[in-house]
Structures are given as structure tokens and as C-alpha cells.
Amino acid sequence: MGNSDSKLNFRKAVIQLTTKTQPVEATDDAFWDQFWADTATTVQDVFALVPAAEIRAVREESPSNLATLCYKAVEKLVQAAESGCSSEKEKQIVLNCSRMLTRILPYIFEDQDWRGFFWSTVPGAGRAGTDEMDDDEGARPLAESLLLAIADLLFCPDFTVHSHRRGPDAAEDMQTIDSCEYIWEAGVGFAQSPPLNYIHDLNRTELLRLLLTCFSEAMYLPPTSDNNILNPWVTFFCSTENRHALPLFTSLVNVVCAYDPVGYGIPYNHLLFSDYREQLVEQAVQILIVSLEHEGGGAAQRPPSPSCMEDQDCVGPDNLFVNYLSRIHREEDYDFVLKGLARLLVNPLMQTYLPNSTKKIQFHQELLVLFWKLCDFNKKFLFFVLKSSDVLDILVPILFYLNDARADQSRVGLMHIGVFILLLLSGERNFGVRLNKPYSVHVPMDIPVFTGTHADLLIVVFHKIITSGHQRLQPLFDCLLTIVVNVSPYLKSISMVAANKLLHLLEAFSTHWFLFSASQNHHLVFFLLEAFNNIIQYQFDGNCNLVYAIIRKRNVFHQLANLQSDPVSIQKALQRKKKSPDAITGISRTSSQETVSMEGSRPAVPAEPGTLKTSLVAIPAIDKLTEKSQVSEDGTMVTVSKMDSLCASHPGPQTEQSSAAGASDTESVSGRDNEDVFYTEAEMERRRMSNASSTISCNSQSHWVPTPDWVLSWKCKLPLQTIMRLLQVLVPQVEKICIDKGLTDESEILKFLQHGTLVGLLPVPHPILIRKYQANAGTAMWFRTYMWGVVYLRNVDPPIWYDTDVRLFEIQKM
């Protein structure tokens, strides 16, 4: 039968289904087989030939026919999984049923009345022909039968895995097969690399797409801060009921981390074969990130230990994927995973050297979520990452993506995940130490040319985000500066470019109109002062550039110390703001070093008109995102209790509610007393409308008025003593040298500062405070909405969820 005839017959069957008002019997195989037998349709064909309106019409007007269609499709998959899917016809039926269910499931999920359908058994739905299924199997909910069939089919010899048969008659029994021997790729816990087979890759991709569609029920439920509500599809699939959980988890991890977009080492080879593998890798990483769901409450039960993974004697969560991820422990496995993720993350950055020689991957957001989950669930992996300079192979691409996305409001979620990862890493001392490695890679970035370390790169990129990113990034300023504060005690030598950037930020944030524009803005000044204090107290030797920059900008510190807080001064400052509402600082956004950008760089550009973006829930404030730890003399961390930090002599940003970090992707919600806010759709729409005309000071605070008492409440706590003492000692010395030697060359001054010392002249060093990321319900919900938003927007061919009634987020056109 020709392909066009096949499509025509398929279309006729769809029309018959939508026009039949009487229920079609489940036993009418001649009718139902039209949907999957003898048809050579692609998944794109199925989406074109089964319009959304017709699926909804069947759902509303002939519900029993839709129920039977789903049941029959699942029945075919179950039969194929049991038989081993040996004939070409059976393989075609499996693919057609998968495509049909992928098309229909989102319309089942969008209707609340239908959502329980797959979790019920189908009474009397024609169990004829399935007598060999025992009563237990027969009583399974449809969802469980479907998920177990998909798992079996993913390890089906000659369909999705390479057969181990010794001869033509030695058929492999699907019920006794040890799928640990059929893991798809070498890597974690598996040494053999099976031969590449693009047909197997395509078939795996189709089944994983169906699996991802099953898991996507989460998209059709509104966001909730209750972290105990788990996705029933994921919960069952990642439970001990699924005998393939371990080999599948291992296959997914290994396929992702072993993938080389260059074409397995040969430039341009991707044009020949790696397209199929890339589709598989994309689906694999998406399945991984949405499967790795941690239970919110209760002690987790330990599952039986599978034989094919080195087991550690530990109790783990019920979700086996989370359990296996947390139990990876061999250094060679960590090395394989880290190098694989770094290779993929850096791939889009390397395009300028051999044009078009590598395939430019698009799934970096999913990779960042996977890296996040690895660090979050496996602390030994996090310490391995920080143990060597390999962490910089993750840092550089993250900074590249942050810099590249800063002007694009459709990529605000990418900005958040990148900053969250850096916040997590910055809580560990080793990260700050690693940043001292010289930066010599020179990825093409639209930032000033500088010579220095990875710390300089981080500071220069953060400065660029703050001064030339779009205004919806203001909620991240607290996080960005917290990262700088966390690493500051370990930075041995900041370049002149980076030092000037930090001073420029202080100058920007300490302008009177900015300080008085919102109740939280002064926190940014506290963060910067704390970073300067850490560097002066712990890394004075080697930081002559920063000391020189502080001396040059000493007026900023004097103005802060003498900040006027009377009503007239406050009003005058706010009047100045009205005259220049556009700039964040009221001063130049650029400084003298920004004339030359790195070679090969392109400016960050906003999204094209018509680009889709998904909304995000609010993120918690910085003091909810982090907990403070004090570094003791032996280098260990001691958690600082809330009461201790309230009584600390340097309260700064940590004792007053900080919510510049606590915003949704639509605006800062600074006045919300640190609640983890989840907006209803109507509320989000109202906020979006009010945000349309807002300036950097954020309209949500328009009712708030700065008072003299409020200014005094934090002005007296500004940690200026160390810097003022430094200025008091060094400024007269520098001025004397300039007069005595008639110096105008700053290199001589720097040489003097380099050999200077302030031992015994500064106040007693304050304890180092590190703000470590801590998980909470607010960030868990943020990750869920972000992750599913990415999955929604990335699956456009076919557009699985497009135009269905998702509730987890809103779809907006830029």
C-alpha cells in the first residue's frame, strides 16, 4: 500500500471515529486496526491527520469511543511487549500506537473529569484475546500497564537494543531477559559500548516521547507549594514495580554523557549519522530531569538492591531514579558524567573555530537542570566537581549563557538556573579557591577584554548582567552579589577591570535616589561592602588593584558615611529619580574599559517578536534561599542560627528581609515579607498589567515611602570601619608619593600598594560568613515550573502540548 493511500485510510478512520455517536465495540478489531495496522505514518503525520478539535469532539460527544481507542492502543503495546515484538508488522504497530497515544494523552490530561481514566481499570473493555494475562495483570490500572509495556519495549532485542542471540532460532524471552545486559551505552556501571544502530535510536526516541507525554500530566495542574504532591506516572515508573528501572536509568545517563556532537571525534561527521543520536539524547535528558522527583516528606524506604550496580549500604528515597543517582560513588563514574556534561555545555560556545564542524546542540537548559539535580542529590559528586579545576569547565559555559541571555526576557528562566547553580557552588570554599585559576580560554563573549582569573570573568559578567540586562533580572541582583560575597575571602588577585566593575556597582547602588526607591535596595550596598571587607581582611596582599580602585573612588564611601536622612534630602533624591527613570544608576552604564569586546563576540539580543515564553512562579527571598554558615579557624563551617545572626554586630542584608531575590519572572515582589508566593492566573495577569509601565524601582512598592527613621535604622549598621581605616592610612601615603615623585603613572602607585601592609592597622578580622543554598518548597516549585516550561517549548516537532490547556504556567508571546 502506498504512503498516500495509507494516510488516506488513516484519515478516514479518524473521521469515522469522530462521526460515530454510537459506541464502537472493543471487539470490532477491523475498525480499531485501521489506526495502527498497515499504516506507514510518521509522528508528524499523526499530528497532522488527527486535529485537536476532533480529539476534543470525541472526548465530549463519544467518550466511550475515546476510552476504547486508548485501551486498544495500550493493549497492543502490552501484547507486543510480551511477545518480544519480533515481526516487522508488530514493530510498526508499536510505533503507530505510541504516536497515537502521544497525540491523545494531552487532551485526556487537560480535562479534569478524564484525568483519572488511566488510573482506573476498564470494566468489560473487551479482554478477549488477552486470556493469558493473569487476574492480577488484568486488574492493573491502564496507566500501569502502559508504563510497564513501554519499559519492556525499551529493552526489546532487534527493536530497541542489539540482540544477543546466538543463532536464528534462539529467540530471547522478554519475561526472563536480564535488561542490565542490554544497557544502551557504556559509562556509569557498564563497560561495553553496543554498536550504533540508528533504527534502534529512532525507536527508543518514539517510546521516550510517549513516556514524556505520560509524565506531562504535571503541566495540567496549577502550581502548588505543597511539595508532597507527586506525579503518579513518575512515582509508578520509578518504583520497584518497574524491573527495568536501573538499566533504564543507567542507559539514559550514559547516552547523555557519552554523546559527542562533533560526531564521535571526527569534524563534520555529524552530517552523516549523529542526528538520530541527538534526538535520542534530547528525549533522554528530558526524561531524566522530570523523573528525578524527590519526595517532600517522610523517611524514604529503601528498595531492594539490584544486582548490576555496586550497592552502598544506605537508605534511599522511594523514587529509584533519585536513589540510583544519589548512590553513584566511583570516581571514574563522576569523571565520566562531569566531562560529558562539560563537553555538551561548552559545545555551542566553540562554533567560531571550525565553522559548522560540530552540531550545535540546543538542550543546554536541560543539561543545567540535570547538573543541578546531580549536585543536589549526590553531595559526593558536588565535592568531586569542586575538587579539581574541572568545575571551571561548567562555570565558563554558564557565564556565557548568562551573558548571552541577559537581554532576552524569554530566557529569564535560564538566567535563574545559571545563577542558582553558581549560588550552590559558591557555598563551598573550594569554588572560591578554584576561581583563582588564570582565565585563558577566551570564549567569544560580549564583555571587555581583560587579563586575569576566572574570578575576574565572573565579576565582569555579573556587572554586565546588572548594568545592561533587562529590568526583570533585578530580582537576581541579591543572588549575584551573594555569590560574589561567598567567594570574596578566597580571591587572591582581582584584575583592574574587575575591581573597577565592583566599584562601579557600589557607585550605582549607593546613589541616593536608588537607595530611597525601594525598601530593599540598600541590601545591595551591604553585600558589596561585605565583599570588599572580606578581600581587605583576608586577601590584602595581591589585591592592590582593588585597593587602588577603592582609593580612587573614596568619595563614594565618604558619601555613604555622611548619607543625609532628613525628609528634605530624601525628597530631593526621589525628585532626581523622576528626571532619569531609565538608567539603573543615574550614572553612565559603561566605564572606560568597555570600548573593546572579546573577539568573535556578538551582542546579547532580545527575543524575536512572536517568541513563546512560559511564566514562572516567584522565587523565595535570598534569606529563604540560603542559610548562613560561619567559617571557623580550622576551615570548617558552622551554621549560624537565626537568633545569632539577628544579634550579629554586622547585621547587614541578612537580618532584614531581603526580597530583591524574591520575584516571579514578571516583577520584583519586594514588599511581601518573604512569603513563598504562588499567584493565581488572574493575579499574575493583574501584576503583568501593572508591571508594563514599571521602572527599576518596581511598582509593587509605589505605596512605600522612605522615612528618616528607616534610613537611620540601616545606615548605622553600614560596615564601613575597615574601609575607612584603610583610606585613613593609605590615602595620605599615596598623595605624598605622588607629590614627592611627581607621579602621574598609576603603575608606580600600584607597585607601592603591592608592597604595602596594613598588619595591625585594621580592625580585628570579622568572621567569614557564607550563605549556603538551602532547598525549600518555594525553589522546588520553581524548578518544576521551569523544567516543564523548557520541555513544553522544546518539543515543537511534533508540538505535543501546543494549544492544549496547560495550567502549571502561562504561555506568552514576546
Side-chain angles (χ1 to χ4, degrees):
M1 186 190 294
N3 196 26
S4 56
D5 291 343
S6 170
K7 285 184 192 175
L8 195 63
N9 288 346
F10 182 76
R11 180 69 192 131
K12 278 181 184 166
V14 173
I15 292 169
Q16 278 182 299
L17 186 71
T18 53
T19 50
K20 282 182 187 289
T21 49
Q22 293 304 308
V24 182
E25 286 298 320
T27 49
D28 187 352
D29 287 339
F31 176 78
W32 297 112
D33 283 355
Q34 299 175 93
F35 292 100
W36 34 77
D38 306 320
T39 57
T41 52
T42 64
V43 68
Q44 286 80 9
D45 292 336
V46 170
F47 271 69
L49 296 168
V50 188
E54 295 182 15
I55 302 172
R56 287 188 176 115
V58 176
R59 187 184 71 196
E60 304 308 321
E61 292 155 32
S62 320
S64 66
N65 286 344
L66 181 61
T68 308
L69 178 66
C70 291
Y71 171 72
K72 296 297 283 187
V74 172
E75 183 184 62
K76 288 291 178 190
L77 293 178
V78 170
Q79 286 170 355
E82 287 180 340
S83 71
C85 204
S86 49
S87 71
E88 287 306 310
K89 183 178 179 183
E90 261 192 302
K91 291 172 185 173
Q92 194 58 55
I93 287 173
V94 166
L95 294 174
N96 289 335
C97 288
S98 298
R99 291 159 188 166
M100 196 67 180
L101 287 168
T102 301
R103 181 61 174 144
I104 292 169
L105 273 167
Y107 298 91
I108 300 273
F109 294 150
E110 73 174 7
D111 187 321
Q112 197 173 344
D113 296 337
W114 272 84
R115 228 169 270 145
F117 165 71
F118 267 84
W119 292 98
S120 59
T121 50
V122 185
R127 298 242 166 210
T130 58
D131 295 335
E132 69 277 8
M133 291 166 80
D134 60 37
D135 290 341
D136 268 348
E137 276 298 302
R140 274 199 184 283
L142 205 51
E144 294 186 4
S145 301
L146 171 58
L147 290 171
L148 293 177
I150 293 171
D152 278 341
L153 289 165
L154 285 167
F155 291 98
C156 192
D158 283 332
F159 180 55
T160 48
V161 293
H162 191 67
S163 176
H164 292 179
R165 273 188 307 200
R166 296 287 179 269
D169 302 326
E172 288 154 298
D173 179 12
M174 281 303 294
Q175 302 315 304
T176 58
I177 201 169
D178 179 4
S179 45
C180 281
E181 295 174 10
Y182 291 85
I183 287 168
W184 301 347
E185 186 59 72
V188 174
F190 193 69
Q192 296 86 41
S193 199
L196 272 175
N197 183 318
Y198 81 92
I199 299 292
H200 291 172
D201 277 0
L202 284 172
N203 294 342
R204 292 164 178 168
T205 304
E206 296 257 15
L207 288 165
L208 290 181
R209 186 187 293 124
L210 171 57
L211 187 58
L212 190 64
T213 309
C214 291
F215 291 170
S216 72
E217 183 182 25
M219 282 192 206
Y220 297 88
L221 304 170
T224 166
S225 56
D226 185 351
N227 207 25
N228 295 321
I229 298 174
L230 291 175
N231 184 327
W233 295 83
V234 170
T235 301
F236 179 80
F237 191 78
C238 297
S239 73
T240 50
E241 294 274 351
N242 179 2
R243 67 192 179 98
H244 305 291
L246 177 64
L248 183 60
F249 169 78
T250 311
S251 295
L252 295 172
V253 169
N254 292 355
V255 155
V256 172
C257 295
Y259 177 54
D260 185 353
V262 176
Y264 292 80
I266 308 162
Y268 300 101
N269 207 19
H270 67 283
L271 300 172
L272 302 178
F273 64 78
S274 72
D275 276 4
Y276 307 111
R277 181 52 54 119
E278 187 192 24
Q279 291 172 32
L280 174 64
V281 171
E282 284 201 19
Q283 294 291 337
V285 71
Q286 289 176 6
I287 288 287
L288 270 175
I289 63 174
V290 299
S291 303
L292 290 165
E293 268 200 357
H294 210 325
E295 294 86 344
Q301 299 302 306
R302 184 185 175 198
S305 166
S307 58
C308 52
M309 185 179 202
E310 286 183 41
D311 183 37
Q312 291 170 291
D313 191 24
C314 62
V315 174
D318 289 336
N319 179 319
L320 291 184
F321 277 31
V322 174
N323 195 310
Y324 300 143
L325 187 76
S326 67
R327 283 176 19 205
I328 298 171
H329 62 285
R330 297 190 312 172
E331 293 235 334
E332 55 265 43
D333 290 340
Y334 290 156
D335 191 58
F336 165 74
V337 169
L338 180 58
K339 282 192 164 50
L341 293 178
R343 178 176 60 248
L344 291 172
L345 284 169
V346 91
N347 158 264
L349 286 56
M350 311 308 285
Q351 297 304 300
T352 52
Y353 301 114
L354 271 174
N356 303 319
S357 68
T358 62
K359 191 155 187 58
K360 190 169 178 179
I361 64 153
Q362 302 294 324
F363 51 93
H364 47 274
Q365 295 194 83
E366 294 97 315
L367 291 167
L368 291 174
V369 174
L370 180 59
F371 179 77
W372 170 270
K373 293 200 176 231
L374 274 156
C375 292
D376 199 25
F377 294 148
N378 192 322
K379 289 300 174 233
K380 286 184 180 173
F381 174 76
L382 174 61
F383 298 136
F384 176 85
V385 168
L386 293 164
K387 198 170 70 175
S388 76
S389 295
D390 289 349
V391 67
L392 303 175
D393 297 334
I394 300 287
L395 170 75
V396 172
I398 287 177
L399 291 175
F400 174 86
Y401 294 128
L402 290 178
N403 186 60
D404 189 54
R406 70 181 190 273
D408 184 352
Q409 292 194 27
S410 73
R411 291 195 282 169
V412 72
L414 168 61
M415 299 293 295
H416 279 71
I417 178 74
V419 172
F420 283 163
I421 289 173
L422 298 184
L423 182 63
L424 179 75
L425 296 176
S426 75
E428 306 298 332
R429 175 186 176 274
N430 271 356
F431 182 64
V433 173
R434 299 289 158 239
L435 290 179
N436 289 307
K437 186 176 179 180
Y439 174 64
S440 53
V441 186
H442 296 305
V443 164
M445 265 192 255
D446 179 26
I447 56 172
V449 174
F450 69 92
T451 303
T453 65
H454 284 76
D456 296 314
L457 176 68
L458 180 134
I459 290 166
V460 168
V461 169
F462 283 11
H463 175 270
K464 194 89 175 180
I465 293 166
I466 290 170
T467 57
S468 64
H470 60 82
Q471 73 173 45
R472 288 183 183 170
L473 295 181
Q474 197 192 359
L476 284 176
F477 290 1
D478 268 15
C479 284
L480 293 170
L481 295 188
T482 298
I483 294 162
V484 173
V485 173
N486 280 349
V487 301
S488 61
Y490 313 110
L491 304 185
K492 293 185 181 303
S493 177
I494 292 176
S495 72
M496 187 60 85
V497 172
N500 284 335
K501 297 299 176 206
L502 288 176
L503 266 298
H504 179 247
L505 288 180
L506 182 70
E507 198 173 0
F509 292 142
S510 60
T511 54
H512 294 177
W513 77 256
F514 184 75
L515 281 174
F516 300 154
S517 292
S519 65
Q520 311 295 325
N521 284 356
H522 62 284
H523 291 168
L524 303 172
V525 171
F526 274 90
F527 280 129
L528 285 164
L529 292 176
E530 191 177 341
F532 295 151
N533 287 340
N534 282 341
I535 293 169
I536 293 164
Q537 291 277 22
Y538 292 98
Q539 300 291 347
F540 181 80
D541 298 339
N543 269 303
C544 58
N545 289 323
L546 182 68
V547 173
Y548 179 63
I550 288 172
I551 289 171
R552 279 185 59 218
K553 292 284 185 183
R554 56 192 178 276
N555 280 351
V556 177
F557 300 97
H558 290 301
Q559 283 166 8
L560 267 173
N562 299 311
L563 182 68
Q564 297 298 306
S565 57
D566 58 281
V568 176
S569 300
I570 292 173
Q571 273 315 108
K572 270 188 185 169
L574 294 174
Q575 289 302 320
R576 275 201 296 279
K577 167 197 151 190
K578 285 173 185 164
K579 288 173 192 164
S580 60
D582 192 37
I584 179 175
T585 62
I587 59 173
S588 166
R589 280 177 172 245
T590 55
S591 46
S592 56
Q593 292 84 10
E594 295 216 16
T595 48
V596 185
S597 274
M598 292 193 172
E599 189 183 343
S601 67
R602 298 160 305 144
V605 290
E608 296 281 320
T611 302
L612 292 180
K613 63 165 281 199
T614 56
S615 63
L616 293 164
V617 295
I619 61 166
I622 193 71
D623 57 350
K624 286 283 183 74
L625 270 179
T626 56
E627 66 178 11
K628 283 168 292 303
S629 296
Q630 198 167 299
V631 181
S632 57
E633 285 181 15
D634 62 358
T636 55
M637 298 263 192
V638 183
T639 303
V640 181
S641 74
K642 287 267 193 306
M643 280 311 295
D644 287 350
S645 65
L646 280 169
C647 303
S649 59
H650 163 39
Q654 64 266 27
T655 62
E656 298 189 35
Q657 68 210 25
S658 166
S659 66
S664 69
D665 63 327
T666 49
E667 65 170 311
S668 169
V669 283
S670 302
R672 63 187 172 86
D673 295 331
N674 290 332
E675 291 167 350
D676 298 334
V677 178
F678 301 96
Y679 304 121
T680 63
E681 288 174 41
E683 172 73 348
M684 288 185 78
E685 185 55 38
R686 186 184 66 70
R687 287 173 173 271
R688 235 188 323 282
M689 294 302 290
S690 73
N691 190 54
S693 60
S694 73
T695 64
I696 195 73
S697 61
C698 72
N699 266 4
S700 63
Q701 290 224 335
S702 55
H703 62 279
W704 177 82
V705 177
T707 64
D709 286 348
W710 168 78
V711 176
L712 288 171
S713 72
W714 55 262
K715 180 191 162 185
C716 64
K717 297 171 189 169
L718 283 166
L720 287 165
Q721 302 87 332
T722 300
I723 293 169
M724 287 310 196
R725 184 73 182 127
L726 175 144
L727 293 173
Q728 188 185 359
V729 173
L730 291 181
V731 170
Q733 294 180 14
V734 170
E735 285 176 343
K736 186 172 188 304
I737 291 172
C738 291
I739 293 164
D740 290 355
K741 298 192 176 179
L743 285 185
T744 52
D745 181 9
E746 65 182 31
S747 63
E748 288 291 325
I749 301 167
L750 287 169
K751 202 175 290 179
F752 162 73
L753 292 172
Q754 210 168 345
H755 297 105
T757 179
L758 291 175
V759 174
L761 296 171
L762 294 179
V764 176
H766 55 280
I768 297 172
L769 269 184
I770 302 293
R771 293 167 183 82
K772 291 169 77 85
Y773 169 81
Q774 61 170 358
N776 59 67
T779 46
M781 190 61 240
W782 185 91
F783 271 101
R784 199 171 302 148
T785 52
Y786 169 61
M787 192 169 62
W788 278 113
V790 169
V791 170
Y792 177 99
L793 293 173
R794 296 264 300 110
N795 283 274
V796 291
D797 185 26
I800 303 177
W801 302 280
Y802 182 71
D803 240 6
T804 62
D805 188 19
V806 294
R807 304 287 306 284
L808 186 64
F809 42 74
E810 291 179 21
I811 316 298
Q812 297 141 15
K813 251 191 179 136
M814 299 297 292

